[in-house]
Amino acid sequence: MNQAKQVELMKNDSLWQDRDLRFDASIKELHARCGEKCLYSWDKIEDTKGNSGDEGRLSITTLRIIWQSKSKPRINLTIGLNCVISLTSRNLHNKLRGRCNALHIMCKCNGTRYEFIFTPLDQDESTANDPIYSRGIQITQQVSRICKAYFCTKLFRDLKLRSAIFTPQGKQLKILAGEQIYNKFQGVWNLSSDQGNLGTMHVTNLRIIWHANVNELFNLSLPYIQVSGIKVRESKFGPALVIESSESSGAYVLGFRIDPSQRLNSVFSELCNLYNVHFTNPNYGVEAYPGLESSIGNGSSDNVLTYGANLGPTNVIGTPSDESDYVERNRENNPDIIASYLEDDGQNIGNDSKPVYCPKLGLAIEKIKDGYTLESLWNVIPSD
């Protein structure tokens, strides 16, 4: 039972970094948790809405966005990626710096909406609208890539119930990037109902998967990072394997009966060992997103976080590969982008009435609104 006690001690280190938004966090809260890595960081960035005129550093990790003042490190922000509603590139006009391009982020946490604007202080007005040279647009592109990778890899971090864990053809278990199945246990009873449900448990290096044999849609996928306790205790069905999930995932208590008792103890020991191994260096899945790894890591020592610990290798801004990356997320998921574009949002009405020359088309066109690109409007039907 020593292993069970070890699991109990780890449940206090709950995952909050990607689900919470905190102002003026302590140095301990700014430190990276196990497995968290800094992917990009940029100097000379201003928190325009909250700390105008204060130079700071903006960083994005596998879990959150962090801004910290250079002159007063106690003034900072930590924004969980799960709180991000939308992000886009916005053109701003400042009396001191003229026109500049900024990263605009809308967030929601505990029912409250927040708006953040991060502006590079060393922008050149002549390149403010050029995605190749504008530092503001480059930053927006990189942050958008990381946010997209985060939202596409939730199975690495979130408890999922009744999800499509099997492929339509062949009924094969969907394996995540870098995931390995270590064991498969037949005849595992889920004790969620009075009569129980007979099913199969898959144990991998990232999560615990169980599904009913009669109905494969009756299933669960529980990453180790959301496990707060593993134990064996008595139930009305006899000795049962009990797995408790964290509060952020719903605080579920999942019971499984495995016969005989020797096999139950064997499964318990294996789960405890895999849990402890994973918890020492968790895989949050963001870096496993296809194509993301090749876009980061061409580094320079100027981009190492100074306040964090164990933040991984240095990374800098890469060459922009797709202008559409900085279209805000809710518009990327909107199949009718033309209708979204034509919708009047009440901003900048009448300011962009004059046509501008488009070198790509060789024509004079209406100025495209912030947050959209020529490619995103042209490709109404996605290629994939």
Side-chain angles (χ1 to χ4, degrees):
M1 292 299 176
N2 292 332
Q3 290 173 321
K5 293 181 180 179
Q6 292 175 5
V7 175
E8 289 292 327
L9 291 174
M10 292 182 182
K11 70 179 182 180
N12 294 324
D13 189 16
S14 59
L15 180 63
W16 62 267
Q17 283 80 358
D18 64 330
R19 301 159 197 273
D20 201 1
L21 192 154
R22 299 186 180 184
F23 297 88
D24 301 336
S26 64
I27 297 299
K28 182 179 179 180
E29 291 173 330
L30 291 178
H31 282 180
R33 65 176 291 121
C34 291
E36 184 181 8
K37 296 181 181 179
C38 176
L39 302 179
Y40 297 98
S41 62
W42 303 272
D43 289 316
K44 298 182 178 180
I45 304 296
E46 174 192 76
D47 175 19
T48 305
K49 200 167 180 65
N51 299 279
S52 180
D54 194 356
E55 179 182 334
R57 168 173 287 190
L58 181 69
S59 308
I60 182 166
T61 75
T62 48
L63 297 174
R64 52 182 168 165
I65 300 169
I66 300 173
W67 181 86
Q68 186 175 30
S69 170
K70 183 178 179 180
S71 58
K72 299 178 181 179
R74 61 179 178 81
I75 300 177
N76 57 71
L77 299 167
T78 171
I79 306 169
L81 295 184
N82 196 58
C83 300
V84 176
I85 299 175
S86 65
L87 61 91
T88 185
S89 179
R90 291 290 177 89
N91 288 325
L92 303 178
H93 186 272
N94 187 288
K95 293 183 179 180
L96 296 177
R97 296 189 295 272
R99 292 181 59 197
C100 57
N101 197 281
L103 169 63
H104 179 268
I105 302 178
M106 292 295 298
C107 301
K108 186 176 182 180
C109 182
N110 298 325
T112 305
R113 290 178 176 266
Y114 299 88
E115 180 184 36
F116 300 97
I117 300 175
F118 298 106
T119 307
L121 298 177
D122 55 353
Q123 279 193 97
D124 186 353
E125 182 178 353
S126 62
T127 63
N129 292 320
D130 193 329
I132 298 179
Y133 300 104
S134 172
R135 188 164 180 248
I137 294 181
Q138 284 183 341
I139 293 174
T140 308
Q141 289 175 337
Q142 305 294 10
V143 173
S144 179
R145 288 191 183 101
I146 303 302
C147 288
K148 182 178 180 180
Y150 173 85
F151 283 99
C152 290
T153 55
K154 284 197 170 184
L155 281 175
F156 284 83
R157 303 174 302 274
D158 295 350
L159 168 65
K160 295 293 183 181
L161 300 174
R162 301 179 184 272
S163 59
I165 62 174
F166 287 91
T167 58
Q169 300 83 12
K171 296 296 182 181
Q172 297 293 322
L173 185 66
K174 293 180 181 179
I175 303 300
L176 305 178
E179 185 176 25
Q180 297 178 352
I181 298 179
Y182 286 156
N183 220 328
K184 178 180 179 181
F185 301 104
Q186 302 281 0
V188 178
W189 290 85
N190 186 306
L191 307 181
S192 59
S193 60
D194 290 336
Q195 73 277 10
N197 292 280
L198 183 62
T200 303
M201 178 180 288
H202 302 263
V203 178
T204 78
N205 59 324
L206 300 175
R207 53 182 175 155
I208 303 168
I209 305 168
W210 180 90
H211 66 86
N213 293 339
V214 177
N215 182 11
E216 292 172 344
L217 290 178
F218 184 55
N219 59 61
L220 68 91
S221 172
L222 177 60
Y224 294 122
I225 196 64
Q226 294 297 347
V227 174
S228 63
I230 303 175
K231 62 184 72 173
V232 175
R233 73 183 188 194
E234 287 294 328
S235 69
K236 64 180 180 179
F237 298 96
L241 173 68
V242 178
I243 303 176
E244 300 174 356
S245 71
S246 62
E247 292 185 5
S248 61
S249 64
Y252 289 93
V253 178
L254 308 169
F256 302 95
R257 178 175 175 177
I258 305 173
D259 294 323
S261 59
Q262 293 82 359
R263 186 164 175 251
L264 172 62
N265 293 330
S266 175
V267 174
F268 168 74
S269 298
E270 183 169 354
L271 288 179
C272 289
N273 290 333
L274 289 173
Y275 175 89
N276 289 329
V277 170
H278 182 269
F279 216 93
T280 57
N281 187 25
N283 182 356
Y284 301 110
V286 177
E287 292 179 293
Y289 187 74
L292 182 65
E293 186 176 356
S294 60
S295 69
I296 60 178
N298 302 320
S300 160
S301 59
D302 295 334
N303 286 277
V304 179
L305 287 179
T306 56
Y307 52 75
N310 300 324
L311 288 175
T314 303
N315 299 283
V316 298
I317 304 172
T319 304
S321 59
D322 185 0
E323 293 180 52
S324 63
D325 281 342
Y326 61 83
V327 177
E328 57 184 287
R329 179 166 52 86
N330 58 351
R331 289 174 180 166
E332 285 180 343
N333 298 332
N334 184 1
D336 194 354
I337 193 172
I338 297 297
S340 176
Y341 180 81
L342 295 177
E343 182 181 1
D344 184 11
D345 59 2
Q347 297 180 357
N348 300 325
I349 298 178
N351 294 337
D352 300 328
S353 57
K354 295 182 179 179
V356 295
Y357 176 71
C358 177
K360 293 183 179 180
L361 298 178
L363 300 170
I365 63 172
E366 176 187 346
K367 184 178 179 182
I368 298 176
K369 297 178 183 178
D370 295 338
Y372 294 90
T373 65
L374 183 63
E375 287 77 7
S376 65
L377 296 175
W378 186 267
N379 298 324
V380 180
I381 302 176
S383 59
D384 54 352

